[in-house]
């Protein structure tokens, strides 16, 4: 289910970007997933949990040793957590859409999933750097993030903010007097499809974060549902029926509830999702209109800030006094959440700043104007529309990057 969510990331981006960048969105998400898997397999999982896969297959399936559990249980755990790790570049992708170089983004993906993300993952969900021991000593309880509001979403969103800051705004996005030039979504049905696929997959993301059948809780499922509904309704109201805001509002609610979905009361989850949905609309407009932060899909607002809010909300609505299960501390949640945001921003600035200095991370003005589809992949999302007939009766395809070319049909 979490693997399927990556198609949701893809179609959410496809529906939001302009037609000349739709192919790039699709290729970028699936390529990032492949690079993420390798980076996590060879480096990242070991960074987070100290487990290496460079052993015999008999060890991997648990016939020799105890590292991987019976029938190679830890291989399934790796698969599950690898889909989480690959969400980091998928989140960033939406923020840097329409003007980022392809190859340097793959380099960034390898670094982020191999080193940056698993370091914080291991701190919270593992034993790395003694982070959770310090939290427990300071606040009496560890930092609680059941399904990744902070570990995945806040970290990914704040990395995305660093990437957007390094890239700058798209060409023509703002006039000289600072006025915003509107860029409407290219395809609302694709945007909606992406949001629906993500929303359905999220129940695997949240519920199965228990990682064992015995630990699965129906409370996580109902809380995820209530947060999703809350996000839809408040974004519908605050966003004035805008379809982009409504579909992203569902995701905002789900982002926010991840951390405390196992300890909140359903009414607390509803409130968490409702706050997140409204907050996303407000922050997205603020970024685009006031701050001139050209975050195409609003990944900082959606993942960075709603994930941040979810970390705090866990420490509030998870308290027994508010109907929660208890075992959480607002102070611990505040400190852990802010650490995640700072870690993500620092990682994003370092990785994209370093790549910018070494290789450049942005398409040329000509390539950006032509669109990433033709400039990088030499084909548009609707190639039939871009094909004309030459006077000799052969099909011609116009490629902005290097002039007219014969199409395959013409030979």
């Amino acid at each position: 289910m979490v693997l399927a969510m990556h198609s949701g990331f893809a179609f959410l981006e496809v529906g939001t970007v302009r037609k000349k960048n739709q192919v790039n969105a699709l290729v970028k998400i699936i390529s990032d997933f492949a690079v993420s898997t390798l980076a996590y397999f060879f480096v990242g999982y070991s960074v987070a949990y100290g487990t290496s896969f460079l052993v015999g297959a008999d060890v991997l399936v648990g016939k020799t040793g105890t590292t991987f559990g019976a029938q190679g249980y830890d291989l399934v755990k790796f698969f599950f957590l690898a889909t989480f790790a690959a969400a980091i570049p998928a989140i960033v992708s939406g923020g840097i859409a329409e003007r980022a170089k392809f190859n340097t983004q793959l380099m960034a993906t390898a670094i982020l999933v191999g080193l940056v993300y698993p370091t914080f993952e291991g701190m919270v969900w593992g034993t790395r750097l003694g982070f959770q021991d310090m939290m427990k000593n300071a606040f009496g309880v560890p930092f609680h993030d059941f399904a990744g509001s902070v570990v995945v979403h806040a970290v990914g969103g704040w990395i995305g903010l660093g990437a957007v800051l390094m890239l700058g705004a798209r060409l023509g996005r703002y006039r000289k007097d600072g006025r915003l030039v509107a860029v409407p979504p290219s395809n609302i049905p694709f945007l909606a499809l992406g949001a629906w696929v993500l929303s359905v997959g999220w129940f695997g993301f949240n519920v199965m974060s228990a990682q064992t059948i015995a630990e699965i809780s129906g409370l996580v499922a109902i809380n995820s549902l209530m947060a999703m509904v809350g996000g839809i309704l408040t974004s519908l109201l605050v966003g004035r029926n805008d379809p982009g805001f409504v579909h992203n509002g569902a995701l905002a609610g789900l982002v926010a509830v991840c951390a405390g979905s196992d300890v909140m009361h359903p009414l607390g989850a509803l409130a968490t999702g409702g706050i997140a949905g409204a907050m996303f609309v407000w922050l997205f407009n603020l970024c685009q209109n006031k701050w001139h932060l050209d975050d195409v899909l609003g990944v900082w607002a959606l993942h960075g800030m709603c994930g941040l809010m979810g970390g705090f909300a866990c420490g509030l609505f998870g308290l027994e006094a508010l109907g929660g299960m208890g075992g959480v501390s607002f102070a611990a949640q505040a400190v852990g959440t802010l650490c995640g945001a700072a870690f993500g921003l620092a990682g994003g600035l370092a990785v994209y700043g370093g790549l910018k200095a070494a290789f450049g991370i942005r398409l040329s003005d000509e390539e950006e104007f032509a669109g990433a589809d033709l400039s990088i992949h030499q084909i548009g999302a609707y190639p039939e529309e871009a094909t004309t007939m030459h006077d000799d009766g052969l099909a011609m395809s116009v490629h902005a990057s290097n002039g007219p070319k014969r199409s395959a049909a013409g030979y």
Side-chain angles (χ1 to χ4, degrees):
M1 291 177 75
V2 186
L3 173 62
M5 291 174 73
H6 289 270
S7 67
F9 281 118
F11 278 98
L12 188 69
E13 186 172 334
V14 166
T16 304
V17 300
R18 287 169 287 189
K19 290 171 69 175
K20 63 182 180 179
N21 296 299
Q22 290 181 330
V23 170
N24 181 244
L26 292 168
V27 177
K28 189 168 48 170
I29 294 294
I30 198 168
S31 300
D32 276 341
F33 184 85
V35 171
S36 295
T37 301
L38 291 182
Y40 199 63
F41 181 86
F42 285 107
V43 182
Y45 195 77
S46 180
V47 169
Y49 304 107
T51 300
S52 172
F53 296 101
L54 302 181
V55 294
D58 58 334
V59 179
L60 294 179
V61 298
K63 287 189 174 181
T64 305
T66 59
T67 302
F68 292 90
Q71 301 300 310
Y73 166 75
D74 265 24
L75 299 180
V76 180
K77 179 182 176 182
F78 161 79
F79 184 13
F80 182 62
L81 292 177
T83 59
F84 275 51
I88 297 296
I91 289 168
V92 174
S93 176
I96 63 175
E98 301 201 326
R99 75 271 201 206
K101 282 186 176 180
F102 185 71
N103 290 335
T104 48
Q105 172 54 21
L106 293 181
M107 293 180 196
T109 293
I111 299 168
L112 292 170
V113 179
L115 297 172
V116 179
Y117 164 75
T119 297
F120 193 74
E121 176 191 14
M123 289 166 57
V124 176
W125 289 341
T127 59
R128 292 306 190 198
L129 304 180
F131 178 76
Q132 289 289 31
D133 289 336
M134 289 188 291
M135 295 294 288
K136 191 170 183 180
N137 290 335
F139 304 107
V141 293
F143 171 61
H144 189 89
D145 189 4
F146 180 70
S149 284
V150 178
V151 173
V152 178
H153 298 287
V155 169
W158 284 84
I159 288 173
L161 175 61
V164 170
L165 291 173
M166 288 292 107
L167 270 172
R170 287 169 287 177
L171 290 176
R173 183 58 166 149
Y174 299 100
R175 301 186 189 277
K176 290 183 178 179
D177 61 4
R179 286 186 297 162
L180 176 72
V181 176
V183 181
S186 60
N187 193 306
I188 297 298
F190 277 165
L191 186 158
L193 173 64
W196 268 110
V197 171
L198 283 165
S199 296
V200 173
W202 223 294
F203 287 84
F205 194 100
N206 281 3
V207 175
M208 285 312 300
S209 286
Q211 297 191 32
T212 63
I213 297 296
E215 297 297 321
I216 288 178
S217 169
L219 183 64
V220 177
I222 195 67
N223 282 345
S224 301
L225 179 65
M226 295 299 277
M228 174 183 167
V229 168
I232 292 170
L233 294 177
T234 56
S235 60
L236 178 69
L237 177 64
V238 178
R240 300 179 180 181
N241 304 328
D242 182 282
F245 284 144
V246 172
H247 286 89
N248 277 285
L251 308 182
L254 286 162
V255 165
V257 82
C258 285
S261 55
D262 63 327
V263 295
M264 291 181 181
H265 187 278
L267 293 179
L270 178 64
T272 298
I275 295 167
M279 190 171 76
F280 168 72
V281 175
W282 175 65
L283 284 171
F284 182 87
N285 286 328
L286 195 62
C287 287
Q288 302 291 337
N289 297 320
K290 299 294 183 182
W291 296 342
H292 292 185
L293 183 67
D294 193 15
D295 179 352
V296 180
L297 268 68
V299 300
W300 177 71
L302 180 64
H303 298 275
M305 289 303 291
C306 290
L308 194 79
M309 190 277 286
F312 282 96
C314 174
L316 181 64
F317 293 114
L319 297 173
E320 290 186 56
L322 292 178
M325 297 285 290
V328 295
S329 159
F330 185 80
Q333 293 305 115
V335 171
T337 298
L338 292 174
C339 284
F343 186 90
L345 180 59
L349 291 172
V351 170
Y352 285 93
L355 289 173
K356 181 178 181 178
F359 306 104
I361 58 175
R362 182 162 180 155
L363 296 174
S364 69
D365 289 356
E366 293 79 10
E367 290 170 329
E368 185 180 341
F369 180 80
D373 292 358
L374 294 182
S375 298
I376 298 173
H377 310 288
Q378 288 78 54
I379 192 168
Y382 308 93
E384 193 173 22
E385 294 179 5
T387 302
T388 58
M389 296 304 294
H390 192 246
D391 56 12
D392 62 2
L394 298 178
M396 298 285 290
S397 294
V398 178
H399 291 257
S401 58
N402 50 7
K405 288 184 179 179
R406 299 275 182 171
S407 70
Y411 284 98

